Amino acid sequence: MDLGSAAYIFKTAVMQILVLAAPVLGVSLAVGLLVAVFQAATSLQEQTLTFVPKLIAVLLVLMLLGTWMFTSMSEYAVHLLNMIPDMIR
């Protein structure tokens, strides 16, 4: 395996991580921002008010996109496994 192959594997792994994590992190960020604005407007500083909506939103995103995430990761794993014979040469 040469340096180009290693760089390709690293680049595709990082892109895979970013693509799979972006929807979950984006929804969590948006819900956190909305809750923070609500808390600032109402002067309500309850800690569970920030945690529970984010947890519910993240679980909903995982329920909606879980099959796509699993399919994407399994396709990536198959791609890596298919590259093994080429790496040995």
Side-chain angles (χ1 to χ4, degrees):
M1 179 166 74
D2 60 345
L3 185 61
S5 298
Y8 171 76
I9 291 171
F10 182 73
K11 182 185 85 156
T12 56
V14 169
M15 287 303 298
Q16 187 75 17
I17 291 168
L18 291 175
V19 167
L20 292 178
V24 176
L25 293 175
V27 167
S28 179
L29 179 70
V31 170
L33 183 64
L34 288 174
V35 170
V37 168
F38 175 75
Q39 282 184 325
T42 61
S43 298
L44 183 65
Q45 299 300 322
E46 179 65 31
Q47 292 299 319
T48 57
L49 188 61
T50 60
F51 180 73
V52 173
K54 277 195 229 180
L55 180 66
I56 292 170
V58 167
L59 289 176
L60 285 173
V61 168
L62 289 175
M63 281 178 26
L64 292 173
L65 299 179
T67 55
W68 168 74
M69 290 176 168
F70 181 75
T71 303
S72 178
M73 276 305 293
S74 62
E75 287 174 358
Y76 180 69
V78 167
H79 176 68
L80 283 179
L81 291 173
N82 287 335
M83 287 178 57
I84 289 175
D86 295 331
M87 287 186 230
I88 295 173
R89 294 183 194 148

